[in-house]
């Protein structure tokens, strides 16, 4: 199942956590199934076979003791009576698990037998006293193995159930976690997209402000340039006007005062009055020269 996150990307558990868990846990789950399936049936099989072998050993000991008594009572004819004794023991102690009973003499020759001639047997042995013969009792393991296999079936089903639970529960939790992670990733992508939009808007606003500031700076520079030009022009006009005024004072008033002074010098008058008048004229000339120097320092006197 796929879904579309807020940023517009289609995803379907793209992280693959559940798939990775399944791949890594598969050997463990197989081992779990094998252990659960085989542990209890194997233990049952071992115990059951051990019990059968003990019972076979008891029957062999019992038959061996009976044959010891028989050999002591009839040392020559016991060979002929042993098949009847073996058949009697087989009837009395008949058990589906017991497969075969054999009696052999001191040379190992078979002198009595009972039961199936072939099968998957486990043998137990007992001696016939000092005679040297042996009694062999076999248990058939096929029945025990069949019971073990029948017992293994429910344990196999139980192992499958446990393995399924151990696979499904973590997988479900990982799928939920992966879904949440993908949701967070989608939200992060949406937030990043919104942040990019805000950044673009901010960059546009900053560009607009920069252009406005550049335009204002250019306008201010233009105004400053015009102001400098006007100031320079005003200063130039002012200096020209001061030069003109200084020139007028120097050329007009100064010359006239100089001429008046010369006239005063030649006028017939008392000496003290003439000297006072000349002194006043000299001071007036000095004032005029000072004013001309203040108005235009570039004017040559």
């Amino acid at each position: 199942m796929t879904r579309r996150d807020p940023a517009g990307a289609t995803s379907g558990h793209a992280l693959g956590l559940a798939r990775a868990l399944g791949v890594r846990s598969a050997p463990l789950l197989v081992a779990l199934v094998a252990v659960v399936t085989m542990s209890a049936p194997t233990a049952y099989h071992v115990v059951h076979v051990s019990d059968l072998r003990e019972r076979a050993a008891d029957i062999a000991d019992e038959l061996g003791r009976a044959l010891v008594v028989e050999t002591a009572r009839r040392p020559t004819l016991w060979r002929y009576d042993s098949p009847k004794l073996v058949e009697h023991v087989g009837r009395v102690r008949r058990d589906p698990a017991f497969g075969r009973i054999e009696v052999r003499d001191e040379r190992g020759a078979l002198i009595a037998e009972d039961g199936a001639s072939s099968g998957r047997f486990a043998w137990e042995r007992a001696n016939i006293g000092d005679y040297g013969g042996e009694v062999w009792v076999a248990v058939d393991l096929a029945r025990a193995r069949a019971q073990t296999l029948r017992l293994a079936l429910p344990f196999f089903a139980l192992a499958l159930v446990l393995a399924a639970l151990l696979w499904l529960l973590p997988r479900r939790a990982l799928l939920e976690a992966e879904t949440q992670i993908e949701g967070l990733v989608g939200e992060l992508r949406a937030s990043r997209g919104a942040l990019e939009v805000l950044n673009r808007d901010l960059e546009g606003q900053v560009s607009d402000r920069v252009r406005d500031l550049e335009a204002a700076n250019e306008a201010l520079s233009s105004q400053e340039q015009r102001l400098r030009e006007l100031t320079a022009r005003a200063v130039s006009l002012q200096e020209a006007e001061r030069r003109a005024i200084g020139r007028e004072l120097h050329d007009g008033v100064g010359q006239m005062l100089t001429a008046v002074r010369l006239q005063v010098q030649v006028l017939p008058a008392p000496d003290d009055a003439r000297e006072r008048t000349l002194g006043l004229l000299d001071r007036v000339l000095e004032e005029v020269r000072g004013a001309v120097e203040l108005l235009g320092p570039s004017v040559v006197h």
Side-chain angles (χ1 to χ4, degrees), residues 4 8 17 31 41 60 64 69 104 109 111 156 170 174 209 221 231 247 250 273 276 282-283 300:
R4 184 172 296 275
L17 299 179
V69 174
R104 297 180 180 271
I111 60 177
F156 178 69
L174 281 178
R209 296 297 182 272
S221 299
T231 302
R247 193 176 296 110
H250 181 271
R276 285 195 300 273
D282 289 335
R283 284 197 296 272
V300 179

Side-chain angles (χ1 to χ4, degrees), residues 11-82:
S11 62
H13 304 301
L15 298 178
L17 299 179
R19 182 172 61 256
L21 175 65
V23 172
R24 295 189 179 184
S25 63
L28 296 177
L29 295 177
V30 172
L32 173 66
V33 171
V35 170
V36 174
T37 301
M38 299 302 297
S39 58
T42 301
Y44 168 79
H45 182 75
V46 171
V47 173
H48 186 51
V49 170
S50 177
D51 181 62
L52 290 177
R53 295 179 72 98
E54 289 179 2
R55 289 160 63 185
D58 293 339
I59 293 175
D61 290 340
E62 182 182 352
L63 184 56
R65 287 193 298 270
L67 290 175
V68 168
V69 174
E70 189 66 22
T71 57
R73 189 167 59 87
R74 304 176 66 181
T76 304
L77 300 178
W78 75 275
R79 295 171 180 271
Y80 304 99
D81 293 336
S82 58

Side-chain angles (χ1 to χ4, degrees), residues 78 100 102-112 128 131-136:
W78 75 275
R100 185 174 175 80
E102 294 181 356
V103 178
R104 297 180 180 271
D105 60 11
E106 70 279 5
R107 294 189 300 270
L110 181 64
I111 60 177
I128 307 176
Y131 175 71
E134 294 179 339
V135 177
W136 290 87

Side-chain angles (χ1 to χ4, degrees), residues 242 246 249-250 282-297 301:
R242 294 176 64 180
L249 289 176
H250 181 271
D282 289 335
R283 284 197 296 272
V284 172
L285 286 172
E286 290 296 329
E287 292 292 334
V288 171
R289 291 192 184 96
V292 170
E293 291 178 357
L294 291 176
L295 289 174
H301 301 288

Side-chain angles (χ1 to χ4, degrees), residues 257 260-261 264 272-288:
L257 289 176
V260 171
R261 187 176 186 283
V264 170
D272 55 351
R274 187 171 51 249
E275 291 298 330
R276 285 195 300 273
T277 302
L278 291 175
L280 289 174
L281 289 174
D282 289 335
R283 284 197 296 272
V284 172
L285 286 172
E286 290 296 329
E287 292 292 334
V288 171

